[in-house]
Amino acid sequence: DGGITQSPKYLFRKEGQNVTLSCEQNLNHDAMYWYRQDPGQGLRLIYYSQIVNDFQKGDIAEGYSVSREKKESFPLTVTSAQKNPTAFYLCASSISLAGVLNEQYFGPGTRLTVT
Amino acid sequence: QQPVQSPQAVILREGEDAVINCSSSKALYSVHWYRQKHGEAPVFLMILLKGGEQKGHDKISASFNEKKQQSSLYLTASQLSYSGTYFCGTYGGATNKLIFGTGTLLAVQP
């Protein structure tokens, strides 16, 4: 079955440590996205990528970094510079970036807790 | 820039109807609707395009008023499985980014 996998489901880290969240898709989609979800604030875009080796900052990119070395993979690193990293992180993909009829498919999410 | 959804929350009995609204301050090219169950991933419901084209769920209906920059999602004869948080995402065309609203929590009770 095609889909998006994120691992791990729950992640705990100490303040000051960098942490990398995994996102893999086997849908053969060109575009991939990372969102952060906090209670009452909906989904906010962190980074997005429309093609391998290319990515753009979203609305809240500070303190985060990404890479897109393979079409299937779009890992997100939460760095120690992110002031409030505890949140639910969702990865998504779509066939392409520019198509207005292209729905996004979401992974199950990673809940990160930093203490 | 973030679209505003209303109501913020609604409680229904099974079989009742509900309307969820999404309003933007910017001109829109398309509106996406997703539903998220607690602790799970959002699931695609529908896309409405400027000009009337639609793509999505056969059992979900929605409207898109381009002039008012508003979209409404209509949930009729609600079932327990309709419970969740509904998000609209608006696409203005210029930035290739989908901007999500803050969500509407829908709870359907027996």
Side-chain angles (χ1 to χ4, degrees):
Chain A
D1 286 339
I4 300 179
T5 56
Q6 291 185 243
S7 61
K9 191 174 175 72
Y10 299 95
L11 192 54
F12 298 88
R13 280 292 182 270
K14 294 287 188 186
E15 198 173 317
Q17 294 179 334
N18 290 356
V19 59
T20 298
L21 281 57
S22 167
C23 176
E24 303 276 334
Q25 55 99 358
N26 61 3
L27 299 166
N28 200 31
H29 285 173
D30 285 323
M32 296 187 73
Y33 315 81
W34 273 105
Y35 292 94
R36 170 181 171 138
Q37 187 172 31
D38 296 283
Q41 292 195 44
L43 303 168
R44 293 185 291 168
L45 184 64
I46 304 173
Y47 268 97
Y48 61 105
S49 166
Q50 58 183 333
I51 198 169
V52 173
N53 292 323
D54 184 55
F55 47 83
Q56 287 79 40
K57 292 182 179 179
D59 300 315
I60 55 164
E62 185 176 348
Y64 300 98
S65 66
V66 293
S67 64
R68 186 88 187 273
E69 297 176 1
K70 297 186 300 181
K71 186 175 183 177
E72 303 80 22
S73 179
F74 192 40
L76 173 75
T77 297
V78 184
T79 74
S80 56
Q82 167 51 232
K83 295 190 188 326
N84 186 19
T86 294
F88 188 46
Y89 291 88
L90 285 159
C91 179
S93 71
S94 63
I95 291 175
S96 66
L97 191 68
V100 296
L101 283 175
N102 294 332
E103 67 267 36
Q104 294 189 12
Y105 294 78
F106 286 84
T110 292
R111 192 166 297 279
L112 174 65
T113 302
V114 177
T115 57
Chain B
Q1 191 172 354
Q2 185 178 30
V4 176
Q5 290 185 232
S6 63
Q8 289 187 323
V10 58
I11 299 174
L12 299 175
R13 294 283 183 192
E14 267 188 297
E16 292 181 339
D17 302 338
V19 180
I20 299 173
N21 302 300
C22 175
S23 179
S24 174
S25 60
K26 293 187 174 284
L28 301 177
Y29 198 83
S30 71
V31 178
H32 294 217
W33 285 98
Y34 293 81
R35 176 172 61 211
Q36 184 181 30
K37 304 255 182 204
H38 183 68
E40 298 180 7
V43 173
F44 168 73
L45 295 176
M46 176 164 280
I47 296 175
L48 301 104
L49 199 60
K50 186 177 177 179
E53 190 172 358
Q54 295 187 1
K55 174 182 177 181
H57 209 293
D58 287 343
K59 297 187 178 181
I60 300 273
S61 65
S63 64
F64 178 24
N65 187 322
E66 301 159 30
K67 288 184 180 177
K68 291 187 178 180
Q69 295 154 198
Q70 293 175 345
S71 177
S72 295
L73 188 69
Y74 304 98
L75 302 166
T76 57
S78 60
Q79 304 170 17
L80 294 176
S81 62
Y82 287 10
S83 293
T85 301
Y86 289 77
F87 291 99
C88 69
T90 56
Y91 181 81
T95 61
N96 279 336
K97 291 189 298 184
L98 200 59
I99 301 173
F100 284 94
T102 53
T104 294
L105 179 62
L106 178 74
V108 181
Q109 297 179 342

